[in-house]
């Protein structure tokens, strides 16, 4: 019995699930990651980091 097609479908479902989880995590934590990068760049430029009202809205002043 040939089950190669069934295995391929299972791999595609696993990849789709991992992709959806990765996208959800980036959407959820993306603002925090952007703030961390902005804080680092502010300190490198010698500027002060000012946080925004939401995650991801911080800026250098």
């Amino acid at each position: 019995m040939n089950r190669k097609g069934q295995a391929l479908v299972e791999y595609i479902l696993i990849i789709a699930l991992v992709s959806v989880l990765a996208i959800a995590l980036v959407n959820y934590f993306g603002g925090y990651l952007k703030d961390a990068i902005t804080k680092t760049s502010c300190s490198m430029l010698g500027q002060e980091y000012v946080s925004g009202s939401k995650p991801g809205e911080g800026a250098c002043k």
Side-chain angles (χ1 to χ4, degrees), residues 27-61:
N27 283 334
Y28 185 75
F29 291 114
Y32 298 107
L33 181 61
K34 184 177 178 184
D35 279 342
I37 293 169
T38 303
K39 285 179 188 178
T40 304
S41 64
C42 288
S43 66
M44 293 172 93
L45 295 172
Q47 297 180 351
E48 181 182 346
Y49 174 77
V50 179
S51 61
S53 60
K54 293 187 222 175
E57 293 182 349
C60 298
K61 298 269 175 161

Side-chain angles (χ1 to χ4, degrees), residues 2-17:
N2 189 357
R3 295 189 178 187
K4 288 182 182 179
Q6 179 183 359
L8 181 63
V9 170
E10 290 172 355
Y11 286 128
I12 290 172
L13 289 174
I14 291 170
I15 290 170
L17 178 63

